[in-house]
Amino acid sequence: MIISIASGKGGTGKTTIATSLALSLSNVQLLDCDVEEPNCHIFIRPILESRNPVSIPVPGVNQDKCDGCGRCQEVCAYNAIAVVNKEVLIFSELCHGCGSCTYFCPNDAIEEINKKIGIIETGRKNEIQFAHGKLDIGMMMSPPVIRAVRKHINKKKTVIIDAPPGTSCPVITAINGTDFVILVTEPTPFGLNDLSLAVEVVRKLGIPFGVIINRSDLGNKKTDEYCVRENIPILMRIPFSKKIAEIYSRGDPVVKELPEYREKFQGLYKKIKEIKTG
Amino acid sequence: MKIAITSSGTTLQSGVDPRFGRCPYYIIYDTENDSFEAIENKSSLAGGGAGIQAAQNISDMKAEAVITGNVGPNAFRVLSAASVKIYSGATGSIKDAIEKFKNGEYEETTGPDVGSHFGMGRK
Amino acid sequence: MKQIVIISGKGGTGKTVITGAFAALAEDKVMVDCDVDAADLHLILDPEIKQSHIFRSGVTAFTHKELCEGCGVCKTVCRFEAVKDDFTIDPVSCEGCAFCSLVCPQNAIQMKTNVSGKWFVSGTRFGPLVHARLGVAEENSGKLVSLVRQKAKEIAESKNYKWVIIDGSPGIGCPVIASITGVDCAVIVIEPTLSGLHDARRVIDVVKYFNVPAKIIINKYDLNHDMTKKIERWSEDNNIQILGKIIFDKAVVESVVEGKTIIEYSNDGVTKALRNIWRLLEEELDRTN
């Protein structure tokens, strides 16, 4: 089963839930798809085994073969190519790597060059298989790096995906096609607002889901009422605890310092399996 | 020769629009016969690279100069490659801008005015 | 006129609460919510919508099944796994490159313009607010962020306002880049955690890459004094000014629940710290004129 953890609002506890689950179960693979700001490695401290660049193919023009016809510019949907005075100018930061210009060049004058936009690192910690992606600074688009992390999905394991915050393309790329989504929220107006947006996304993708309410005693009852109204299972409630906040702030995993939580996360997994089969 | 002026409207009374890539219109003024036409700027709808597309359009129209408020680095690169002269920092009405241009009051811009991405630059 | 953006790298550090506080403390300003796919600032500013606009961005492929002969060329060229087995298009994965549309021998694939969201100009008790709502599962290319920023700038210029105060989003990708370029100062909100510092470092690298000056606020600093010291040392080593430190206080959550800025809700430690921070920021930016 592939379980993804998303939220809408940032800072609700996705990484805490993802790492706690990974550390409480067996036969687990943890994939950190928050490639703009990956944090799982801080808590899991995996021993890294490989590091590979992630590239997107951007066009490179062979001046000898190019006659400045401008066909590449015509087909580019992203304004990444300009052709003026028969000179081809490429703006690779706008390129999505679709391959259209290369295909349509009548003179075979374009070849694809790899432009590095990030890296993937894989490794392990005890029994946990681990991989994460990191978007390079100054690069715009995270989905290609997220796709590269997801290529490592090992279906023989229980796969846990830590998704980025938000509700747009990076989150979609991270959670699409997974078997279950855990939405982590806090019981505040900000949390509820963003949760309802995230729920719309998950429903649009047609994936079963449930909610974890973190810092459950700091806020109001509206999130509970919302979940009941919308028939959304509340999988777990974690009250605010200065102890947990402090453990987290040091970069230590909660289930290591408070082992009673291990059982709670095993229970969470059981509940998810029940929902999936029930 | 033809000059392109970024405009907020379709007449000579319209104001010069400060944005090269996302202005609503260009006024293309022909110095030879003192005529002009207003062209809708389709690049204003672009997701990204509005300046690039706009510069491409200006070059395709065979304009030899551009009068505008600000030009970003991508548009600057395309306009330079197309040998289009750039006069930025313009304000006031289109009519004023044309007069100033004829009187040689504008200095050619030698680098992008605005430093960065999506045409939103530093002053 | 100065533009300030509040960002953090990591989510949940307090950007929106601090933006709300600046909105309450600054004079003559426009607020902008650039966290367009999870906008929250309106929840404490209580806006009255004055203008509402549709936002269109990009195109999505659409297969006219009656014209399709099932040759499958579209599927072989698509790099985004957006062409399904029946040769219809998954709009969520489609990136609008139009390659499929161009190669289809039957001309069966049409590119349709997306209505991607809405943006608004509203009035609030603190001044105008420009905000937006990106549609569900839409691409957040930064275009909507640039649009709301441009509108806010126009309002500020036309009314001779002093400040544009921008609530940013988490992360470092295009929406964040679109919210920081060209501002006079990026205020980075850091919480005293290892994750928080890790993420702040990355977003500060982005800020520097785009040549934008940065300053730091340490929020909830008493949750870990050692980490706070670590952040202070790191800031000093990297020559980034710390505007101030704010204590953790449940009153902040209470103020959000009441739909108020913390400044209006209480006069305790958090408010006092924010008043000092705003005053310092104002002085610093007035100096760099």
Side-chain angles (χ1 to χ4, degrees), chain C residues 17-154:
Chain C
V17 166
I18 290 172
T19 306
F22 286 173
L25 294 168
E27 284 172 16
D28 301 331
K29 71 276 165 184
V30 185
M31 280 73 67
V32 198
D33 191 347
C34 283
D35 195 357
V36 300
D37 75 338
D40 290 328
L41 188 55
H42 62 284
L43 296 169
I44 53 175
L45 294 187
D46 190 26
E48 196 190 302
I49 296 180
K50 303 243 154 93
Q51 289 175 40
S52 172
H53 303 265
I54 295 212
F55 170 68
R56 289 193 171 84
S57 172
V59 290
T60 302
F62 175 81
T63 308
H64 290 275
K65 290 215 79 179
E66 66 279 11
L67 298 173
C68 171
E69 306 244 313
C71 69
V73 175
C74 52
K75 202 166 160 67
T76 59
V77 302
C78 179
R79 291 188 179 178
F80 309 109
E81 292 164 38
V83 181
K84 299 194 236 185
D85 289 333
D86 64 355
F87 311 120
T88 57
I89 310 291
D90 173 10
V92 169
S93 306
C94 175
E95 296 206 1
C97 73
F99 199 166
C100 57
S101 176
L102 291 167
V103 295
C104 176
Q106 313 305 327
N107 266 331
I109 301 181
Q110 181 193 0
M111 301 309 293
K112 290 187 169 179
T113 317
N114 299 331
V115 170
S116 308
K118 285 186 164 175
W119 60 276
F120 315 97
V121 179
S122 300
T124 73
R125 58 192 182 285
F126 299 122
L129 168 67
V130 186
H131 51 136
R133 208 196 126 150
L134 192 65
V136 173
E138 289 291 335
E139 189 193 8
N140 196 356
S141 63
K143 183 187 171 191
L144 184 54
V145 172
S146 300
L147 179 60
V148 295
R149 272 200 59 194
Q150 179 61 32
K151 293 295 163 190
K153 190 162 174 261
E154 286 167 15

Side-chain angles (χ1 to χ4, degrees), chain A residues 1 180 208 269-278:
Chain A
M1 176 161 57
F180 191 90
Y269 179 66
K270 271 201 201 95
K271 237 190 214 166
I272 293 172
K273 285 221 292 197
E274 276 165 22
I275 296 177
K276 280 288 291 171
T277 54

Side-chain angles (χ1 to χ4, degrees), chain A residues 10-11 35-39 43 57 78 96-98 103-104 112 135 140 147 167-168 172 193-194 197 200 248-249, chain C residues 9-12 37 39-40 79 92 95 97 99 102 133 136 138 140 171-174 192 194-195 198-199 202 224:
Chain A
V35 304
E36 294 181 27
E37 299 284 19
N39 285 154
F43 301 91
Y78 309 109
H96 282 226
C98 72
Y103 182 91
F104 286 107
E112 293 190 309
L135 182 69
M140 316 283 176
R147 281 192 280 264
T167 61
S168 61
I172 310 289
N193 182 66
D194 298 353
L197 298 170
E200 275 189 66
Y248 174 86
S249 71
Chain C
K10 188 184 185 318
D37 75 338
D40 290 328
R79 291 188 179 178
V92 169
E95 296 206 1
C97 73
F99 199 166
L102 291 167
R133 208 196 126 150
V136 173
E138 289 291 335
N140 196 356
I172 59 166
C174 24
L194 213 46
S195 308
H198 173 274
D199 294 356
R202 280 171 63 78
N224 188 322

Side-chain angles (χ1 to χ4, degrees), chain A residues 20-257:
Chain A
S20 299
L21 250 184
L23 288 164
S24 306
L25 304 176
S26 57
N27 197 30
V28 162
Q29 183 188 41
L30 176 61
L31 300 178
D32 191 347
C33 287
D34 186 356
V35 304
E36 294 181 27
E37 299 284 19
N39 285 154
C40 289
H41 65 285
I42 294 174
F43 301 91
I44 301 289
R45 291 169 212 161
I47 299 170
L48 293 180
E49 291 165 349
S50 82
R51 163 189 277 208
N52 285 302
V54 181
S55 308
I56 52 168
V58 299
V61 177
N62 182 338
Q63 301 295 349
D64 299 327
K65 292 187 176 174
C66 170
D67 65 0
C69 72
R71 184 85 179 111
C72 51
Q73 186 265 322
E74 281 169 22
V75 302
C76 179
Y78 309 109
N79 294 322
I81 304 180
V83 181
V84 291
N85 274 346
K86 298 217 182 292
E87 192 188 336
V88 179
L89 304 171
I90 309 282
F91 293 87
S92 60
E93 70 274 13
L94 295 171
C95 175
H96 282 226
C98 72
S100 204
C101 55
T102 310
Y103 182 91
F104 286 107
C105 173
N107 302 319
D108 217 16
I110 299 181
E111 65 168 3
E112 293 190 309
I113 304 173
N114 277 334
K115 176 181 161 180
K116 176 176 175 283
I117 58 167
I119 58 166
I120 304 290
E121 292 175 324
T122 67
R124 60 176 53 247
K125 179 62 173 220
N126 302 329
E127 274 189 40
I128 302 174
Q129 205 175 53
F130 173 85
H132 73 180
K134 273 197 219 172
L135 182 69
D136 284 348
I137 300 298
M139 291 298 122
M140 316 283 176
M141 296 183 281
S142 44
V145 185
I146 297 173
R147 281 192 280 264
V149 179
R150 283 182 42 136
K151 282 214 159 70
H152 290 267
I153 286 178
N154 179 353
K155 292 207 167 139
K156 295 198 196 119
K157 301 205 172 263
T158 300
V159 182
I160 297 168
I161 292 181
D162 189 9
T167 61
S168 61
C169 37
V171 179
I172 310 289
T173 312
I175 70 176
N176 208 1
T178 58
D179 300 306
F180 191 90
V181 180
I182 299 174
L183 290 176
V184 188
T185 190
E186 55 179 48
T188 66
F190 291 171
L192 179 55
N193 182 66
D194 298 353
L195 174 65
S196 64
L197 298 170
V199 166
E200 275 189 66
V201 171
V202 181
R203 282 186 170 148
K204 192 169 183 175
L205 297 179
I207 309 172
F209 66 100
V211 162
I212 290 181
I213 305 182
N214 198 6
R215 298 188 286 270
S216 56
D217 50 346
L218 279 191
N220 61 24
K221 292 255 164 285
K222 297 221 160 109
T223 303
D224 265 79
E225 289 162 13
Y226 166 82
C227 290
V228 168
R229 249 189 349 260
E230 296 281 324
N231 260 321
I232 300 171
I234 296 177
L235 303 166
M236 204 187 225
R237 273 175 235 273
I238 306 172
F240 173 75
S241 140
K242 252 196 165 160
K243 184 87 184 111
I244 292 184
E246 202 238 329
I247 295 169
Y248 174 86
S249 71
R250 280 189 270 121
D252 286 332
V254 170
V255 296
K256 183 163 149 249
E257 305 286 317

